[in-house]
Amino acid sequence: MATNTPRTVEAVQKTCRIINELQRRGETGITELSEDVEYSKSTIHGHLATLVDEGLVIKNNQKYRLSLRFLDIAESVKNRVTDYEIVHDQVRELAEETGEVVHFGAEENGRVVYIAKWQGAQAVQTKSRIGKQMPMHSTSLGKAILAEYGRDRVDEIVEQHGLEARTQNTLTRPSALHDNLQEITQRGYSVDDEENILGIRCIGIPVSISEAGVIGALSISGPSQRMTDDRIKNDLREKIAQAANVIEVNSRYS
């Protein structure tokens, strides 16, 4: 069997690319897939036939889409981080109380992944979605988690992913990031000061349990005009800390 390296299997890599493209397109045919992933139609057909046989892909009138089995997989993965129902309830309640967008995310492979999201009545529409991966250094979720890590782990993530300038406010020097993480540790919460999206500010706080350490983070996001320093410090900080505490206590005993 052909392999790219001793630890990777080319056939599996092709299957993963096909699944990713089906996720992006929603539903498509063999010709379109072949053009997008640059594999022959016969190769695409063989992989799709296997995925259909395994119940992971549905074929309908020569079109293919991901099956609902991925919902079951997603539910299983979400609950490995913590009790998802508790997280979902706190994210929803916090969003309704503040009127803003609230996320819960966890770190995986040096990225922060959105696990739960809810939009309050005044929330600004964002492109964030469950499962989306984001940089850690430019998001309040990511920085809240990084502040709980040792310097060596932070440096590993920076080495792996770099410090992309998402906006002109993004921290792009390791020394500046470490200084910011120290500030976060001292005050107990992180701030994304239009570092990921211009016009959007966020407050983030880590969620930790003694047995596992930091399991994720909560964030509240909104337009910079509403997300003032005064509101973050004197209103949102207490609300997000209470929500984090509920998740921590329930996760500890669930």
PDB file of all heavy atoms in Angstrom, residues 19-53:
ATOM      1  N   ILE A  19     -14.432  13.621   2.481  1.00  0.00           N
ATOM      2  CA  ILE A  19     -15.396  13.961   3.536  1.00  0.00           C
ATOM      3  C   ILE A  19     -15.402  15.469   3.783  1.00  0.00           C
ATOM      4  O   ILE A  19     -16.469  16.085   3.913  1.00  0.00           O
ATOM      5  CB  ILE A  19     -15.062  13.193   4.831  1.00  0.00           C
ATOM      6  CG1 ILE A  19     -15.384  11.702   4.653  1.00  0.00           C
ATOM      7  CG2 ILE A  19     -15.842  13.762   6.020  1.00  0.00           C
ATOM      8  CD1 ILE A  19     -14.948  10.835   5.812  1.00  0.00           C
ATOM      9  N   ASN A  20     -14.229  16.083   3.843  1.00  0.00           N
ATOM     10  CA  ASN A  20     -14.155  17.526   4.062  1.00  0.00           C
ATOM     11  C   ASN A  20     -14.828  18.303   2.942  1.00  0.00           C
ATOM     12  O   ASN A  20     -15.499  19.321   3.177  1.00  0.00           O
ATOM     13  CB  ASN A  20     -12.694  17.963   4.194  1.00  0.00           C
ATOM     14  CG  ASN A  20     -12.058  17.509   5.483  1.00  0.00           C
ATOM     15  OD1 ASN A  20     -12.756  17.259   6.466  1.00  0.00           O
ATOM     16  ND2 ASN A  20     -10.745  17.393   5.503  1.00  0.00           N
ATOM     17  N   GLU A  21     -14.681  17.826   1.707  1.00  0.00           N
ATOM     18  CA  GLU A  21     -15.288  18.512   0.571  1.00  0.00           C
ATOM     19  C   GLU A  21     -16.799  18.332   0.581  1.00  0.00           C
ATOM     20  O   GLU A  21     -17.547  19.266   0.240  1.00  0.00           O
ATOM     21  CB  GLU A  21     -14.694  17.987  -0.738  1.00  0.00           C
ATOM     22  CG  GLU A  21     -15.035  18.839  -1.953  1.00  0.00           C
ATOM     23  CD  GLU A  21     -14.546  20.269  -1.839  1.00  0.00           C
ATOM     24  OE1 GLU A  21     -13.508  20.496  -1.173  1.00  0.00           O
ATOM     25  OE2 GLU A  21     -15.204  21.173  -2.401  1.00  0.00           O
ATOM     26  N   LEU A  22     -17.268  17.159   0.985  1.00  0.00           N
ATOM     27  CA  LEU A  22     -18.710  16.950   1.115  1.00  0.00           C
ATOM     28  C   LEU A  22     -19.288  17.863   2.198  1.00  0.00           C
ATOM     29  O   LEU A  22     -20.399  18.376   2.049  1.00  0.00           O
ATOM     30  CB  LEU A  22     -19.010  15.488   1.441  1.00  0.00           C
ATOM     31  CG  LEU A  22     -18.858  14.487   0.293  1.00  0.00           C
ATOM     32  CD1 LEU A  22     -19.015  13.060   0.811  1.00  0.00           C
ATOM     33  CD2 LEU A  22     -19.867  14.762  -0.820  1.00  0.00           C
ATOM     34  N   GLN A  23     -18.540  18.053   3.261  1.00  0.00           N
ATOM     35  CA  GLN A  23     -18.993  18.977   4.303  1.00  0.00           C
ATOM     36  C   GLN A  23     -19.099  20.392   3.750  1.00  0.00           C
ATOM     37  O   GLN A  23     -20.063  21.116   4.028  1.00  0.00           O
ATOM     38  CB  GLN A  23     -18.017  18.964   5.490  1.00  0.00           C
ATOM     39  CG  GLN A  23     -18.438  19.916   6.612  1.00  0.00           C
ATOM     40  CD  GLN A  23     -17.402  20.036   7.698  1.00  0.00           C
ATOM     41  OE1 GLN A  23     -16.270  19.581   7.563  1.00  0.00           O
ATOM     42  NE2 GLN A  23     -17.768  20.663   8.804  1.00  0.00           N
ATOM     43  N   ARG A  24     -18.134  20.808   2.957  1.00  0.00           N
ATOM     44  CA  ARG A  24     -18.137  22.163   2.403  1.00  0.00           C
ATOM     45  C   ARG A  24     -19.265  22.362   1.398  1.00  0.00           C
ATOM     46  O   ARG A  24     -19.942  23.392   1.414  1.00  0.00           O
ATOM     47  CB  ARG A  24     -16.793  22.455   1.730  1.00  0.00           C
ATOM     48  CG  ARG A  24     -16.628  23.908   1.271  1.00  0.00           C
ATOM     49  CD  ARG A  24     -15.307  24.113   0.567  1.00  0.00           C
ATOM     50  NE  ARG A  24     -15.279  23.496  -0.751  1.00  0.00           N
ATOM     51  CZ  ARG A  24     -15.760  24.088  -1.843  1.00  0.00           C
ATOM     52  NH1 ARG A  24     -16.332  25.293  -1.780  1.00  0.00           N
ATOM     53  NH2 ARG A  24     -15.685  23.478  -3.020  1.00  0.00           N
ATOM     54  N   ARG A  25     -19.473  21.375   0.532  1.00  0.00           N
ATOM     55  CA  ARG A  25     -20.455  21.524  -0.539  1.00  0.00           C
ATOM     56  C   ARG A  25     -21.881  21.191  -0.113  1.00  0.00           C
ATOM     57  O   ARG A  25     -22.842  21.714  -0.667  1.00  0.00           O
ATOM     58  CB  ARG A  25     -20.076  20.615  -1.717  1.00  0.00           C
ATOM     59  CG  ARG A  25     -18.975  21.192  -2.610  1.00  0.00           C
ATOM     60  CD  ARG A  25     -18.723  20.268  -3.791  1.00  0.00           C
ATOM     61  NE  ARG A  25     -17.943  20.922  -4.827  1.00  0.00           N
ATOM     62  CZ  ARG A  25     -18.474  21.619  -5.829  1.00  0.00           C
ATOM     63  NH1 ARG A  25     -19.780  21.759  -5.915  1.00  0.00           N
ATOM     64  NH2 ARG A  25     -17.705  22.182  -6.742  1.00  0.00           N
ATOM     65  N   GLY A  26     -22.034  20.306   0.837  1.00  0.00           N
ATOM     66  CA  GLY A  26     -23.370  19.888   1.243  1.00  0.00           C
ATOM     67  C   GLY A  26     -23.829  18.671   0.462  1.00  0.00           C
ATOM     68  O   GLY A  26     -24.070  17.618   1.018  1.00  0.00           O
ATOM     69  N   GLU A  27     -23.949  18.804  -0.844  1.00  0.00           N
ATOM     70  CA  GLU A  27     -24.320  17.679  -1.710  1.00  0.00           C
ATOM     71  C   GLU A  27     -23.697  17.923  -3.077  1.00  0.00           C
ATOM     72  O   GLU A  27     -23.743  19.036  -3.604  1.00  0.00           O
ATOM     73  CB  GLU A  27     -25.840  17.557  -1.831  1.00  0.00           C
ATOM     74  CG  GLU A  27     -26.297  16.330  -2.610  1.00  0.00           C
ATOM     75  CD  GLU A  27     -27.800  16.165  -2.618  1.00  0.00           C
ATOM     76  OE1 GLU A  27     -28.469  16.980  -3.302  1.00  0.00           O
ATOM     77  OE2 GLU A  27     -28.309  15.256  -1.946  1.00  0.00           O
ATOM     78  N   THR A  28     -23.116  16.900  -3.654  1.00  0.00           N
ATOM     79  CA  THR A  28     -22.427  17.082  -4.920  1.00  0.00           C
ATOM     80  C   THR A  28     -22.278  15.754  -5.638  1.00  0.00           C
ATOM     81  O   THR A  28     -22.590  14.691  -5.090  1.00  0.00           O
ATOM     82  CB  THR A  28     -21.040  17.729  -4.695  1.00  0.00           C
ATOM     83  OG1 THR A  28     -20.471  18.095  -5.953  1.00  0.00           O
ATOM     84  CG2 THR A  28     -20.105  16.781  -3.968  1.00  0.00           C
ATOM     85  N   GLY A  29     -21.797  15.807  -6.883  1.00  0.00           N
ATOM     86  CA  GLY A  29     -21.601  14.606  -7.675  1.00  0.00           C
ATOM     87  C   GLY A  29     -20.136  14.251  -7.819  1.00  0.00           C
ATOM     88  O   GLY A  29     -19.241  14.985  -7.375  1.00  0.00           O
ATOM     89  N   ILE A  30     -19.874  13.123  -8.451  1.00  0.00           N
ATOM     90  CA  ILE A  30     -18.514  12.618  -8.595  1.00  0.00           C
ATOM     91  C   ILE A  30     -17.656  13.566  -9.431  1.00  0.00           C
ATOM     92  O   ILE A  30     -16.493  13.813  -9.094  1.00  0.00           O
ATOM     93  CB  ILE A  30     -18.531  11.206  -9.205  1.00  0.00           C
ATOM     94  CG1 ILE A  30     -19.100  10.208  -8.187  1.00  0.00           C
ATOM     95  CG2 ILE A  30     -17.129  10.783  -9.648  1.00  0.00           C
ATOM     96  CD1 ILE A  30     -19.213   8.791  -8.714  1.00  0.00           C
ATOM     97  N   THR A  31     -18.203  14.112 -10.496  1.00  0.00           N
ATOM     98  CA  THR A  31     -17.421  15.000 -11.365  1.00  0.00           C
ATOM     99  C   THR A  31     -16.933  16.221 -10.606  1.00  0.00           C
ATOM    100  O   THR A  31     -15.754  16.604 -10.691  1.00  0.00           O
ATOM    101  CB  THR A  31     -18.256  15.444 -12.578  1.00  0.00           C
ATOM    102  OG1 THR A  31     -18.636  14.296 -13.338  1.00  0.00           O
ATOM    103  CG2 THR A  31     -17.457  16.390 -13.464  1.00  0.00           C
ATOM    104  N   GLU A  32     -17.840  16.845  -9.847  1.00  0.00           N
ATOM    105  CA  GLU A  32     -17.461  18.030  -9.074  1.00  0.00           C
ATOM    106  C   GLU A  32     -16.421  17.693  -8.014  1.00  0.00           C
ATOM    107  O   GLU A  32     -15.457  18.445  -7.814  1.00  0.00           O
ATOM    108  CB  GLU A  32     -18.696  18.654  -8.413  1.00  0.00           C
ATOM    109  CG  GLU A  32     -19.710  19.241  -9.373  1.00  0.00           C
ATOM    110  CD  GLU A  32     -20.682  18.222  -9.911  1.00  0.00           C
ATOM    111  OE1 GLU A  32     -20.517  17.015  -9.610  1.00  0.00           O
ATOM    112  OE2 GLU A  32     -21.605  18.623 -10.641  1.00  0.00           O
ATOM    113  N   LEU A  33     -16.606  16.573  -7.341  1.00  0.00           N
ATOM    114  CA  LEU A  33     -15.635  16.158  -6.329  1.00  0.00           C
ATOM    115  C   LEU A  33     -14.274  15.900  -6.958  1.00  0.00           C
ATOM    116  O   LEU A  33     -13.236  16.287  -6.405  1.00  0.00           O
ATOM    117  CB  LEU A  33     -16.119  14.892  -5.608  1.00  0.00           C
ATOM    118  CG  LEU A  33     -17.058  15.064  -4.422  1.00  0.00           C
ATOM    119  CD1 LEU A  33     -17.524  13.704  -3.928  1.00  0.00           C
ATOM    120  CD2 LEU A  33     -16.362  15.827  -3.298  1.00  0.00           C
ATOM    121  N   SER A  34     -14.262  15.237  -8.092  1.00  0.00           N
ATOM    122  CA  SER A  34     -13.013  14.932  -8.783  1.00  0.00           C
ATOM    123  C   SER A  34     -12.255  16.208  -9.125  1.00  0.00           C
ATOM    124  O   SER A  34     -11.033  16.275  -8.969  1.00  0.00           O
ATOM    125  CB  SER A  34     -13.301  14.126 -10.052  1.00  0.00           C
ATOM    126  OG  SER A  34     -12.108  13.870 -10.759  1.00  0.00           O
ATOM    127  N   GLU A  35     -12.978  17.229  -9.564  1.00  0.00           N
ATOM    128  CA  GLU A  35     -12.332  18.494  -9.913  1.00  0.00           C
ATOM    129  C   GLU A  35     -11.805  19.216  -8.673  1.00  0.00           C
ATOM    130  O   GLU A  35     -10.726  19.817  -8.702  1.00  0.00           O
ATOM    131  CB  GLU A  35     -13.338  19.390 -10.643  1.00  0.00           C
ATOM    132  CG  GLU A  35     -13.729  18.862 -12.018  1.00  0.00           C
ATOM    133  CD  GLU A  35     -14.855  19.655 -12.641  1.00  0.00           C
ATOM    134  OE1 GLU A  35     -15.445  20.516 -11.925  1.00  0.00           O
ATOM    135  OE2 GLU A  35     -15.159  19.423 -13.823  1.00  0.00           O
ATOM    136  N   ASP A  36     -12.540  19.136  -7.585  1.00  0.00           N
ATOM    137  CA  ASP A  36     -12.153  19.868  -6.378  1.00  0.00           C
ATOM    138  C   ASP A  36     -10.962  19.247  -5.661  1.00  0.00           C
ATOM    139  O   ASP A  36     -10.067  19.956  -5.201  1.00  0.00           O
ATOM    140  CB  ASP A  36     -13.337  19.958  -5.408  1.00  0.00           C
ATOM    141  CG  ASP A  36     -14.417  20.901  -5.916  1.00  0.00           C
ATOM    142  OD1 ASP A  36     -14.076  21.817  -6.682  1.00  0.00           O
ATOM    143  OD2 ASP A  36     -15.590  20.716  -5.555  1.00  0.00           O
ATOM    144  N   VAL A  37     -10.962  17.924  -5.531  1.00  0.00           N
ATOM    145  CA  VAL A  37      -9.884  17.266  -4.781  1.00  0.00           C
ATOM    146  C   VAL A  37      -8.780  16.732  -5.686  1.00  0.00           C
ATOM    147  O   VAL A  37      -7.759  16.246  -5.211  1.00  0.00           O
ATOM    148  CB  VAL A  37     -10.434  16.126  -3.893  1.00  0.00           C
ATOM    149  CG1 VAL A  37     -11.443  16.660  -2.894  1.00  0.00           C
ATOM    150  CG2 VAL A  37     -11.066  15.025  -4.740  1.00  0.00           C
ATOM    151  N   GLU A  38      -9.019  16.820  -7.005  1.00  0.00           N
ATOM    152  CA  GLU A  38      -8.012  16.442  -8.004  1.00  0.00           C
ATOM    153  C   GLU A  38      -7.628  14.967  -7.930  1.00  0.00           C
ATOM    154  O   GLU A  38      -6.456  14.603  -8.039  1.00  0.00           O
ATOM    155  CB  GLU A  38      -6.773  17.337  -7.888  1.00  0.00           C
ATOM    156  CG  GLU A  38      -7.079  18.808  -8.137  1.00  0.00           C
ATOM    157  CD  GLU A  38      -5.842  19.679  -8.048  1.00  0.00           C
ATOM    158  OE1 GLU A  38      -4.839  19.235  -7.463  1.00  0.00           O
ATOM    159  OE2 GLU A  38      -5.889  20.814  -8.566  1.00  0.00           O
ATOM    160  N   TYR A  39      -8.651  14.114  -7.749  1.00  0.00           N
ATOM    161  CA  TYR A  39      -8.491  12.673  -7.865  1.00  0.00           C
ATOM    162  C   TYR A  39      -9.309  12.222  -9.071  1.00  0.00           C
ATOM    163  O   TYR A  39     -10.267  12.883  -9.478  1.00  0.00           O
ATOM    164  CB  TYR A  39      -8.991  11.935  -6.612  1.00  0.00           C
ATOM    165  CG  TYR A  39      -8.305  12.326  -5.322  1.00  0.00           C
ATOM    166  CD1 TYR A  39      -9.007  12.324  -4.120  1.00  0.00           C
ATOM    167  CD2 TYR A  39      -6.954  12.683  -5.293  1.00  0.00           C
ATOM    168  CE1 TYR A  39      -8.396  12.677  -2.925  1.00  0.00           C
ATOM    169  CE2 TYR A  39      -6.341  13.039  -4.099  1.00  0.00           C
ATOM    170  CZ  TYR A  39      -7.068  13.037  -2.923  1.00  0.00           C
ATOM    171  OH  TYR A  39      -6.459  13.392  -1.751  1.00  0.00           O
ATOM    172  N   SER A  40      -8.949  11.078  -9.626  1.00  0.00           N
ATOM    173  CA  SER A  40      -9.703  10.564 -10.772  1.00  0.00           C
ATOM    174  C   SER A  40     -11.122  10.185 -10.349  1.00  0.00           C
ATOM    175  O   SER A  40     -11.394   9.909  -9.170  1.00  0.00           O
ATOM    176  CB  SER A  40      -9.000   9.332 -11.348  1.00  0.00           C
ATOM    177  OG  SER A  40      -9.078   8.243 -10.436  1.00  0.00           O
ATOM    178  N   LYS A  41     -12.030  10.161 -11.310  1.00  0.00           N
ATOM    179  CA  LYS A  41     -13.407   9.797 -11.018  1.00  0.00           C
ATOM    180  C   LYS A  41     -13.504   8.375 -10.479  1.00  0.00           C
ATOM    181  O   LYS A  41     -14.326   8.087  -9.598  1.00  0.00           O
ATOM    182  CB  LYS A  41     -14.266   9.945 -12.267  1.00  0.00           C
ATOM    183  CG  LYS A  41     -14.463  11.386 -12.722  1.00  0.00           C
ATOM    184  CD  LYS A  41     -15.363  11.439 -13.951  1.00  0.00           C
ATOM    185  CE  LYS A  41     -15.522  12.868 -14.459  1.00  0.00           C
ATOM    186  NZ  LYS A  41     -16.390  12.927 -15.654  1.00  0.00           N
ATOM    187  N   SER A  42     -12.667   7.479 -10.994  1.00  0.00           N
ATOM    188  CA  SER A  42     -12.712   6.095 -10.512  1.00  0.00           C
ATOM    189  C   SER A  42     -12.281   6.013  -9.054  1.00  0.00           C
ATOM    190  O   SER A  42     -12.847   5.244  -8.264  1.00  0.00           O
ATOM    191  CB  SER A  42     -11.815   5.207 -11.382  1.00  0.00           C
ATOM    192  OG  SER A  42     -10.470   5.638 -11.336  1.00  0.00           O
ATOM    193  N   THR A  43     -11.278   6.833  -8.685  1.00  0.00           N
ATOM    194  CA  THR A  43     -10.834   6.867  -7.282  1.00  0.00           C
ATOM    195  C   THR A  43     -11.932   7.419  -6.387  1.00  0.00           C
ATOM    196  O   THR A  43     -12.240   6.854  -5.321  1.00  0.00           O
ATOM    197  CB  THR A  43      -9.568   7.727  -7.138  1.00  0.00           C
ATOM    198  OG1 THR A  43      -8.511   7.128  -7.879  1.00  0.00           O
ATOM    199  CG2 THR A  43      -9.156   7.852  -5.677  1.00  0.00           C
ATOM    200  N   ILE A  44     -12.553   8.523  -6.824  1.00  0.00           N
ATOM    201  CA  ILE A  44     -13.646   9.122  -6.058  1.00  0.00           C
ATOM    202  C   ILE A  44     -14.784   8.122  -5.893  1.00  0.00           C
ATOM    203  O   ILE A  44     -15.331   7.947  -4.792  1.00  0.00           O
ATOM    204  CB  ILE A  44     -14.169  10.390  -6.758  1.00  0.00           C
ATOM    205  CG1 ILE A  44     -13.078  11.468  -6.831  1.00  0.00           C
ATOM    206  CG2 ILE A  44     -15.412  10.922  -6.043  1.00  0.00           C
ATOM    207  CD1 ILE A  44     -12.700  12.061  -5.514  1.00  0.00           C
ATOM    208  N   HIS A  45     -15.131   7.436  -6.967  1.00  0.00           N
ATOM    209  CA  HIS A  45     -16.239   6.480  -6.916  1.00  0.00           C
ATOM    210  C   HIS A  45     -15.964   5.364  -5.923  1.00  0.00           C
ATOM    211  O   HIS A  45     -16.848   4.963  -5.152  1.00  0.00           O
ATOM    212  CB  HIS A  45     -16.494   5.894  -8.308  1.00  0.00           C
ATOM    213  CG  HIS A  45     -17.667   4.965  -8.358  1.00  0.00           C
ATOM    214  ND1 HIS A  45     -17.556   3.610  -8.092  1.00  0.00           N
ATOM    215  CD2 HIS A  45     -18.980   5.199  -8.621  1.00  0.00           C
ATOM    216  CE1 HIS A  45     -18.738   3.059  -8.187  1.00  0.00           C
ATOM    217  NE2 HIS A  45     -19.621   3.988  -8.512  1.00  0.00           N
ATOM    218  N   GLY A  46     -14.737   4.846  -5.916  1.00  0.00           N
ATOM    219  CA  GLY A  46     -14.401   3.766  -4.997  1.00  0.00           C
ATOM    220  C   GLY A  46     -14.500   4.191  -3.544  1.00  0.00           C
ATOM    221  O   GLY A  46     -15.039   3.458  -2.702  1.00  0.00           O
ATOM    222  N   HIS A  47     -13.998   5.382  -3.239  1.00  0.00           N
ATOM    223  CA  HIS A  47     -14.073   5.876  -1.856  1.00  0.00           C
ATOM    224  C   HIS A  47     -15.518   6.145  -1.455  1.00  0.00           C
ATOM    225  O   HIS A  47     -15.927   5.799  -0.331  1.00  0.00           O
ATOM    226  CB  HIS A  47     -13.232   7.149  -1.715  1.00  0.00           C
ATOM    227  CG  HIS A  47     -11.765   6.897  -1.664  1.00  0.00           C
ATOM    228  ND1 HIS A  47     -11.086   6.672  -0.489  1.00  0.00           N
ATOM    229  CD2 HIS A  47     -10.826   6.827  -2.639  1.00  0.00           C
ATOM    230  CE1 HIS A  47      -9.803   6.477  -0.741  1.00  0.00           C
ATOM    231  NE2 HIS A  47      -9.619   6.569  -2.040  1.00  0.00           N
ATOM    232  N   LEU A  48     -16.294   6.747  -2.351  1.00  0.00           N
ATOM    233  CA  LEU A  48     -17.683   7.035  -2.028  1.00  0.00           C
ATOM    234  C   LEU A  48     -18.489   5.757  -1.836  1.00  0.00           C
ATOM    235  O   LEU A  48     -19.340   5.675  -0.936  1.00  0.00           O
ATOM    236  CB  LEU A  48     -18.314   7.880  -3.137  1.00  0.00           C
ATOM    237  CG  LEU A  48     -17.889   9.349  -3.190  1.00  0.00           C
ATOM    238  CD1 LEU A  48     -18.482  10.021  -4.423  1.00  0.00           C
ATOM    239  CD2 LEU A  48     -18.313  10.089  -1.929  1.00  0.00           C
ATOM    240  N   ALA A  49     -18.235   4.752  -2.654  1.00  0.00           N
ATOM    241  CA  ALA A  49     -18.955   3.474  -2.521  1.00  0.00           C
ATOM    242  C   ALA A  49     -18.702   2.864  -1.142  1.00  0.00           C
ATOM    243  O   ALA A  49     -19.610   2.317  -0.504  1.00  0.00           O
ATOM    244  CB  ALA A  49     -18.522   2.514  -3.623  1.00  0.00           C
ATOM    245  N   THR A  50     -17.454   2.957  -0.687  1.00  0.00           N
ATOM    246  CA  THR A  50     -17.115   2.431   0.640  1.00  0.00           C
ATOM    247  C   THR A  50     -17.806   3.226   1.739  1.00  0.00           C
ATOM    248  O   THR A  50     -18.353   2.662   2.697  1.00  0.00           O
ATOM    249  CB  THR A  50     -15.591   2.472   0.850  1.00  0.00           C
ATOM    250  OG1 THR A  50     -14.948   1.729  -0.180  1.00  0.00           O
ATOM    251  CG2 THR A  50     -15.211   1.879   2.200  1.00  0.00           C
ATOM    252  N   LEU A  51     -17.796   4.555   1.610  1.00  0.00           N
ATOM    253  CA  LEU A  51     -18.434   5.406   2.612  1.00  0.00           C
ATOM    254  C   LEU A  51     -19.941   5.184   2.650  1.00  0.00           C
ATOM    255  O   LEU A  51     -20.547   5.196   3.722  1.00  0.00           O
ATOM    256  CB  LEU A  51     -18.122   6.877   2.326  1.00  0.00           C
ATOM    257  CG  LEU A  51     -16.679   7.310   2.597  1.00  0.00           C
ATOM    258  CD1 LEU A  51     -16.402   8.677   1.987  1.00  0.00           C
ATOM    259  CD2 LEU A  51     -16.397   7.331   4.097  1.00  0.00           C
ATOM    260  N   VAL A  52     -20.541   4.961   1.498  1.00  0.00           N
ATOM    261  CA  VAL A  52     -21.969   4.656   1.448  1.00  0.00           C
ATOM    262  C   VAL A  52     -22.245   3.322   2.133  1.00  0.00           C
ATOM    263  O   VAL A  52     -23.184   3.183   2.925  1.00  0.00           O
ATOM    264  CB  VAL A  52     -22.476   4.628  -0.017  1.00  0.00           C
ATOM    265  CG1 VAL A  52     -23.890   4.048  -0.083  1.00  0.00           C
ATOM    266  CG2 VAL A  52     -22.454   6.026  -0.616  1.00  0.00           C
ATOM    267  N   ASP A  53     -21.413   2.335   1.855  1.00  0.00           N
ATOM    268  CA  ASP A  53     -21.573   1.008   2.457  1.00  0.00           C
ATOM    269  C   ASP A  53     -21.437   1.058   3.975  1.00  0.00           C
ATOM    270  O   ASP A  53     -22.103   0.308   4.692  1.00  0.00           O
ATOM    271  CB  ASP A  53     -20.538   0.043   1.866  1.00  0.00           C
ATOM    272  CG  ASP A  53     -20.803  -1.396   2.260  1.00  0.00           C
ATOM    273  OD1 ASP A  53     -21.913  -1.895   1.980  1.00  0.00           O
ATOM    274  OD2 ASP A  53     -19.904  -2.016   2.872  1.00  0.00           O
TER     275      ASP A  53
END
